[in-house]
Amino acid sequence: GEDVEQSLFLSVREGDSSVINCTYTDSSSTYLYWYKQEPGAGLQLLTYIFSNMDMKQDQRLTVLLNKKDKHLSLRIADTQTGDSAIYFCAESLSGNTPLVFGKGTRLSVIA
Amino acid sequence: DGGITQSPKYLFRKEGQNVTLSCEQNLNHDAMYWYRQDPGQGLRLIYYSQIVNDFQKGDIAEGYSVSREKKESFPLTVTSAQKNPTAFYLCASSMAGVDTEAFFGQGTRLTVV
């Protein structure tokens, strides 16, 4: 079955880079996503990557995909206090199939 | 503005009562989903629907029911058979095809009192 694993907590100092890691088991996953959730709110899509890509960069965000190891990472450059949130990794087979989520990584940014 | 709306934001239910959570989208998305979020558990899929008048059970469908009579609407009923309904419920929608993403509502927090 599908499974997505993430570490639960990460703490960084303001201005440093954050790296959140994720591993998944379903090799047929086509789409891999990173979502951000602030307290009491829904999920906001940060970025996604297709399985045929190795890297995607969008401003302060860099996603790296190692398909052989089924490992996905999200790097946030120059982390700010406003980046404090829970970050979810998710996978899906296609655009209209359910996403399978990891348990989320709580990022705490220390000023 | 296009988006996905959940209501109410907070909901209280007495034990033994059924309650219905609303989810409406005006994005013309084909697929809609319901997830349940508990602390430390991530998001777990309850039900999903890829087309009107059709839906499938997710991983934790027991004690829940849904309907999909209109493309825009996918209400979730939490029945009295759901033994531990207190949670944060999230609705999402997406379009079939490539280069697509799932959009989420702001969630409904259900508390059993």
Side-chain angles (χ1 to χ4, degrees):
Chain A
E2 301 165 21
D3 196 16
V4 178
E5 297 284 341
Q6 300 177 240
S7 53
L8 295 182
F9 301 99
L10 177 65
S11 182
V12 299
R13 292 198 177 278
E14 190 175 19
D16 288 351
S17 292
S18 308
V19 180
I20 303 172
N21 294 301
C22 168
T23 57
Y24 60 99
T25 57
D26 192 342
S27 58
S28 58
S29 293
T30 304
Y31 301 84
L32 295 144
Y33 304 84
W34 284 104
Y35 281 86
K36 176 183 180 183
Q37 185 182 37
E38 297 185 1
L43 271 65
Q44 172 196 354
L45 179 71
L46 290 177
T47 187
Y48 63 92
I49 190 168
F50 294 116
S51 58
N52 61 357
M53 299 169 65
D54 297 323
M55 186 183 87
K56 182 177 181 181
Q57 188 156 2
D58 183 3
Q59 299 182 336
R60 293 191 297 124
L61 305 179
T62 302
V63 178
L64 294 177
L65 175 62
N66 181 327
K67 196 173 180 183
K68 174 177 171 288
D69 294 337
K70 301 190 188 72
H71 181 267
L72 183 74
S73 68
L74 173 70
R75 178 176 180 269
I76 306 172
D78 187 25
T79 311
Q80 302 298 306
T81 54
D83 295 323
S84 293
I86 300 176
Y87 291 80
F88 289 94
C89 172
E91 61 171 2
S92 74
L93 298 178
S94 69
N96 67 340
T97 56
L99 275 68
V100 177
F101 286 87
K103 293 186 177 181
T105 299
R106 183 179 296 275
L107 173 65
S108 298
V109 182
I110 305 165
Chain B
D1 281 14
I4 182 165
T5 302
Q6 290 186 243
S7 62
K9 189 170 174 65
Y10 299 97
L11 186 59
F12 296 88
R13 186 195 95 171
K14 291 183 179 178
E15 285 194 27
Q17 285 183 338
N18 294 354
V19 288
T20 298
L21 283 60
S22 170
C23 179
E24 304 276 334
Q25 53 98 1
N26 60 3
L27 300 164
N28 199 33
H29 283 173
D30 298 303
M32 296 186 74
Y33 315 86
W34 275 105
Y35 290 90
R36 169 179 171 143
Q37 185 178 20
D38 296 282
Q41 292 288 323
L43 277 73
R44 293 182 289 169
L45 182 68
I46 305 173
Y47 269 98
Y48 68 102
S49 167
Q50 294 176 308
I51 195 169
V52 174
N53 292 321
D54 189 39
F55 47 82
Q56 286 78 42
K57 292 182 179 180
D59 300 319
I60 55 164
E62 185 176 351
Y64 299 98
S65 66
V66 293
S67 62
R68 187 85 187 276
E69 297 176 3
K70 299 187 299 182
K71 190 175 186 178
E72 309 80 46
S73 179
F74 191 41
L76 173 75
T77 296
V78 184
T79 75
S80 57
Q82 170 48 241
K83 296 305 177 192
N84 186 20
T86 295
F88 191 50
Y89 291 87
L90 286 160
C91 179
S93 68
S94 67
M95 179 78 81
V98 298
D99 199 19
T100 185
E101 62 179 272
F103 288 85
F104 280 80
Q106 288 300 300
T108 294
R109 185 165 298 280
L110 173 64
T111 304
V112 173
V113 296

